[in-house]
Amino acid sequence: MDIAANAATVWIYVAAGAVAIVVIAAIVVFLTPLWDVVKRRIFGTEPEADVISLEGMLEEGGRPLSALVTVRKTIVDMAAEERVNTRKLLDYVIAQAWNLGASDVHFTPTADGMTLQLRIDGLLYDLAMFSREVMASALIRLKILSRLNPYKRDVPQDGRINVDVSQSLDVRISTLPTIHGEKAVLRFLSKAGRFLTLQDLGIDDWTLERYHGLITRPQGMVLVTGPTGSGKTTTLYSSLDAVKNRTASHLNIVTIEDPVEHELPFLNQTQVNEEVGLTFAKGLRSVLRQDPNVIMVGEIRDKETVEIAVHAGLTGHLIFSSVHAESSPGVFARLLNMGIEPYILASAVSCVLGQRLMRKLCPACREEVPPSNHEIEQLGKLGVTLDPDEGPFFRSSGCARCFDLGVHGRTGIFELLVVDDVVQEELVKEVRTKEMYRAAVERGMRPLIDDGFDRARQGVVSLEELLNVISSS
Ligand SMILES: [Zn+2]
């Protein structure tokens, strides 16, 4: 009797316990979203971000799944479903953007909805149009993924998204209020395997050898120039990599960047942060107190920065930087305009590397074409004389391998202005940029147009691309 009663009591306790566990679990599940809201109200924190996993969406080795047309159709179909699965849609967009080799994904609000665009090899391609509802839920998901405040729509925000592919992938997100609503841009930054050595950039052997000689000196300034998007930062990173590999001694290599575009293990990288007063100039001053050998300043755009950089370049440091100018000698005019004395510039700068990026023809669908009269005329204006029967030259109309784009990847073209005795004299005399350019070419500088024309003759790029790149800058 007692035993039976005890057994019954035990069973009652077990049952009560089980019910209690179920009730508590239900309350926890029910309250978790509420807890996020409460936490946000009380502590101002955001819901935990999760990670996008693209593993199942990529073929082995990251090979493309399908051509641009198919990607477009799939995205349009997904966005047109009655209940749009935003998570699935965004995962697909990001996976395909990565697959297609895009550098940026733009979510651009328009008067009626949103345009989704990809930047591939420097050009923007429209992928799809979305409704306002899809746009709104996509933005919320992107902001939660990147730990941004999803409820703030009237201020710009910057963040990161963790994307899990077979390699480390750093995706930055920035949002900006526009007249039609918030615009978001995703940027793929740290792409393992996409880091390029100087040889990979497309610098011809002769120029490369001279450049190598200049960048492995213990001091001086090495400046890279070209318009926005001409690959200056990539060249700077590749140059630092070359310095590290060519110099036997252990060097303290420090960078000040805005933004840090690639995280590289052999560098000490500092991000400019204007909000807290960490400018290029201030960062550079602090770096100089830390016993550096080599310093990379992302960009020189003000007098203070150039003054400190020049001084550092004259006192035992090797300085790398970029300056926005139209031609290699144009860099000097830009720096003189900032107020630097010509004789100081003449002794500090070792060389200026001018560059542009050109989109390479897809080798799979490339076909021979004679140069058009227009192209012959335009080339003539740039100093390249061409016979109508010279060639062959090439163009591509697109195939499945190049996602119907006709182009695949990019190559750089370069001109190297070495600051020798003659350039030093010209600088001190403040010779005009055009004359300095002519004199440099006479003494052996291969101009950008010649480097690019060689690439067209080799069938790497089209004449059309060469003329676009040279005349648009
Ligand atoms: Zn092709």
Side-chain angles (χ1 to χ4, degrees):
M1 176 78 183
D2 279 344
I3 292 168
N6 283 343
T9 315
V10 167
W11 278 113
I12 286 166
Y13 280 126
V14 169
V19 168
I21 288 168
V22 169
V23 169
I24 290 167
I27 290 171
V28 167
V29 169
F30 176 72
L31 282 183
T32 305
L34 283 180
W35 169 238
D36 279 334
V37 176
V38 173
K39 201 165 63 170
R40 206 159 50 236
R41 287 282 152 82
I42 301 172
F43 305 111
T45 53
E46 293 307 323
E48 290 289 298
D50 54 336
V51 175
I52 296 182
S53 175
L54 303 182
E55 288 294 355
M57 301 178 121
L58 296 168
E59 283 185 11
E60 209 177 314
R63 276 200 318 264
L65 288 176
S66 47
L68 200 56
V69 183
T70 321
V71 173
R72 271 198 186 115
K73 191 180 172 305
T74 312
I75 291 174
V76 169
D77 289 348
M78 284 168 112
E81 277 170 19
E82 206 173 309
R83 280 176 62 91
V84 178
N85 185 333
T86 313
R87 171 188 286 257
K88 213 170 109 193
L89 176 65
L90 283 177
D91 286 1
Y92 184 77
V93 166
I94 293 171
Q96 292 304 333
W98 165 251
N99 252 342
L100 291 162
S103 57
D104 305 77
V105 186
H106 290 239
F107 299 83
T108 309
T110 61
D112 335 297
M114 179 193 85
T115 314
L116 177 69
Q117 296 163 305
L118 296 186
R119 188 178 292 283
I120 304 171
D121 292 337
L123 287 190
L124 269 182
Y125 294 91
D126 283 357
L127 259 195
M129 291 283 294
F130 292 158
S131 66
R132 288 207 151 263
E133 293 71 41
V134 174
M135 168 84 182
S137 60
L139 270 177
I140 289 181
R141 169 137 178 91
L142 285 173
K143 285 165 141 186
I144 289 174
L145 279 169
S146 49
R147 297 167 190 265
L148 299 182
N149 186 332
Y151 311 101
K152 268 193 187 163
R153 298 188 190 90
D154 51 354
V155 289
Q157 296 189 70
D158 296 296
R160 281 171 182 228
I161 301 179
N162 293 314
V163 177
D164 179 20
V165 275
S166 47
Q167 50 195 306
S168 144
L169 178 57
D170 184 13
V171 183
R172 300 284 172 86
I173 177 173
S174 63
T175 68
L176 182 73
T178 74
I179 50 166
H180 293 305
E182 242 181 332
K183 177 181 166 103
V185 177
L186 302 186
R187 167 159 282 198
F188 296 115
L189 284 181
S190 181
K191 295 176 178 177
R194 293 198 184 186
F195 176 75
L196 302 171
T197 64
L198 282 176
Q199 281 80 358
D200 299 330
L201 300 179
I203 308 183
D204 70 277
D205 292 345
W206 185 75
T207 307
L208 186 61
E209 204 182 311
R210 297 181 85 196
Y211 185 63
H212 255 308
L214 294 159
I215 64 171
T216 40
R217 288 179 182 176
Q219 71 167 32
M221 282 177 92
V222 174
L223 301 172
V224 179
T225 191
T228 307
S230 57
K232 298 188 290 285
T233 310
T234 304
T235 302
L236 289 173
Y237 284 132
S238 309
S239 303
L240 294 177
D241 179 62
V243 169
K244 181 208 68 177
N245 291 333
R246 282 278 292 249
T247 319
S249 58
H250 294 282
L251 298 174
N252 178 14
I253 308 179
V254 189
T255 74
I256 308 152
E257 305 171 63
D258 187 22
V260 171
E261 289 191 21
H262 276 278
E263 285 177 26
L264 297 177
F266 62 94
L267 300 177
N268 303 284
Q269 294 173 284
T270 308
Q271 162 85 49
V272 162
N273 186 350
E274 306 259 352
E275 272 175 34
V276 298
L278 181 55
T279 58
F280 276 119
K282 201 158 191 185
L284 188 49
R285 266 187 223 285
S286 310
V287 163
L288 284 165
R289 287 194 282 268
Q290 294 221 322
D291 183 31
N293 303 100
V294 183
I295 308 170
M296 189 264 262
V297 185
E299 192 185 348
I300 290 181
R301 51 189 177 209
D302 60 83
K303 187 182 179 185
E304 199 185 355
T305 309
V306 69
E307 275 177 346
I308 310 167
V310 163
H311 186 253
L314 287 170
T315 54
H317 304 95
L318 181 60
I319 309 289
F320 286 89
S321 191
S322 73
V323 178
H324 195 98
E326 286 194 359
S327 66
S328 312
V331 166
F332 298 122
R334 185 82 212 284
L335 297 179
L336 292 173
N337 275 341
M338 287 180 194
I340 289 293
E341 291 294 332
Y343 69 93
I344 297 184
L345 208 55
S347 37
V349 181
S350 318
C351 66
V352 180
L353 187 70
Q355 71 174 85
R356 300 287 186 278
L357 276 181
M358 292 200 295
R359 296 181 302 148
K360 292 197 281 188
L361 290 169
C362 166
C365 60
R366 189 178 77 158
E367 57 195 21
E368 285 188 20
V369 278
S372 71
N373 287 338
H374 175 73
E375 285 165 347
I376 295 173
E377 191 189 311
Q378 292 301 108
L379 282 167
K381 284 182 188 167
L382 293 164
V384 179
T385 322
L386 186 63
D387 279 329
D389 53 352
E390 197 170 333
F393 294 96
F394 295 86
R395 72 160 173 229
S396 298
S397 42
C399 65
R401 237 184 101 181
C402 59
F403 317 115
D404 311 312
L405 302 175
V407 284
H408 189 69
R410 287 189 289 180
T411 182
I413 51 171
F414 299 87
E415 64 182 16
L416 180 67
L417 180 81
V418 181
V419 181
D420 53 16
D421 297 350
V422 181
V423 175
Q424 283 186 333
E425 267 175 48
E426 287 170 339
L427 263 172
V428 174
K429 279 192 248 161
E430 298 198 44
V431 168
R432 291 156 69 95
T433 301
K434 267 193 179 163
E435 287 167 38
M436 197 184 275
Y437 194 89
R438 207 178 309 127
V441 172
E442 275 168 18
R443 287 198 316 287
M445 180 177 89
R446 241 167 117 254
L448 277 175
I449 179 72
D450 288 7
D451 196 18
F453 184 67
D454 275 359
R455 234 54 72 77
R457 209 157 23 193
Q458 292 154 5
V460 179
V461 302
S462 66
L463 281 178
E464 188 190 2
E465 172 74 1
L466 171 65
L467 289 167
N468 274 341
V469 165
I470 296 283
S471 47
S472 68
S473 52

